[in-house]
Amino acid sequence: MSDDEEEVEVFDKHCQTIQQVDEPVFESPQPISFIQAFCLPGVLPYSLAFACLKLVNYSFFFWLPFYLSSNYGWKEAEADRLSVWFDVGGIAGGTVLGLISDLVGKRAPVLTVSLALAMGALVGYSRSPNDKLINSVLLALTGFFVGGPSNIICSAISADLGRQEALRGSQEALATVTGIVDGTGSMGAAVGQYLVSLIESKLGWMTVFYFFVVMVSGLYVS
C-alpha cells in the first residue's frame, strides 16, 4: 500500500506540473499616461466637441429660468416649471438617439443629423412667441437635439474610445479617456457661463442664441 500511495503522489505532482506549464500567463495591461490617452485617435475632437455642446447644455440649465422670466415677464415659479421641459427633451433624446446609434452600429451619422437639427431648434426657440404651450414644445425639441447628443458623447462615445486596441482592455485607460472627455466639457461649460452673461449684458438674448448656434456648428464641423 505504501508503494501505491507513493506512486499516486508522484502522479499527482506530475499532473500539477503539466497544468502549470499549459496554463497561459496573462499579463495585466499597463496603465497609460495622460498624454498618451489624449493623443489616441478621436479623443481630442470629441473632447473639444463635448466642450462646445456642454457649454450650450449647461447654459440652458442655469440661465433658462432667468431668460423666461426676464424676456417674457413670467413669474419665477412658472419659469422654473417650464424649464423642466428642456430636461425632459434631453432625457428622451439621449435614450432615442442612443438606441438608433446602437441599431445603426455607428454613432457619428446619428450625431451629425441631430446636431444639424439642434441648430434649427435653437433658431426656432429664439423666436418663440409669448405662449407657454408653444414655448414648452420648442424647448423640449431643443433639449432633445442638444441634450441627447451631449449624453451620448459623455457616456457611450467615451466608452467606445476606451475600447481601442491600443488600450488592450485596460480599465484604467478607459477611466483616463472618460475623464479627459468629461473634464474638457466641464471647462467649456464653466467658460460658457461667463460668456453668456457678458454677451447678454452687451448685446442681448438674441445674440446669445446666435452664440449657441455657432458653438453647435463648430461641434458639427469637428
Side-chain angles (χ1 to χ4, degrees):
M1 293 296 292
S2 61
D3 293 338
D4 293 339
E5 290 177 355
E6 290 179 358
E7 290 179 359
V8 171
E9 291 179 358
V10 171
F11 179 75
D12 291 340
K13 291 180 179 179
H14 181 67
C15 290
Q16 292 177 359
T17 303
I18 294 176
Q19 290 178 355
Q20 292 176 358
V21 173
D22 292 339
E23 289 179 354
V25 178
F26 295 98
E27 296 182 358
S28 59
Q30 297 295 325
I32 63 175
S33 65
F34 178 85
I35 301 299
Q36 289 175 328
F38 196 78
C39 294
L40 288 174
V43 174
L44 178 59
Y46 277 116
S47 298
L48 297 177
F50 188 50
C52 297
L53 191 56
K54 198 170 185 178
L55 183 154
V56 178
N57 203 25
Y58 272 55
S59 296
F60 269 89
F61 286 155
F62 293 123
W63 288 94
L64 186 56
F66 176 74
Y67 166 75
L68 294 175
S69 179
S70 62
N71 192 60
Y72 297 105
W74 297 339
K75 295 181 180 179
E76 293 182 359
E78 295 177 343
D80 290 337
R81 286 195 296 268
L82 287 173
S83 65
V84 173
W85 286 106
F86 182 82
D87 300 331
V88 173
I91 295 171
T95 304
V96 174
L97 295 178
L99 178 60
I100 294 174
S101 65
D102 288 340
L103 294 176
V104 174
K106 295 180 180 180
R107 306 196 193 278
V110 178
L111 290 176
T112 301
V113 174
S114 61
L115 290 175
L117 295 174
M119 290 186 283
L122 286 169
V123 174
Y125 184 73
S126 66
R127 289 166 171 78
S128 174
N130 194 347
D131 184 276
K132 295 179 182 178
L133 179 59
I134 298 176
N135 193 284
S136 299
V137 173
L138 293 175
L139 190 57
L141 288 175
T142 305
F144 186 95
F145 293 115
V146 173
S150 177
N151 294 331
I152 292 177
I153 294 177
C154 180
S155 56
I157 287 184
S158 297
D160 292 343
L161 291 174
R163 295 194 186 101
Q164 299 185 42
E165 294 183 359
L167 304 182
R168 292 176 297 177
S170 174
Q171 295 297 324
E172 293 81 2
L174 174 59
T176 303
V177 171
T178 305
I180 290 174
V181 175
D182 197 24
T184 307
S186 298
M187 287 190 292
V191 173
Q193 307 318 304
Y194 172 76
L195 294 177
V196 168
S197 63
L198 180 63
I199 295 173
E200 190 277 329
S201 61
K202 301 293 184 181
L203 302 173
W205 283 111
M206 188 60 68
T207 308
V208 172
F209 281 100
Y210 289 146
F211 171 66
F212 291 160
V213 172
V214 170
M215 289 293 100
V216 175
S217 62
L219 188 157
Y220 180 81
V221 172
S222 63

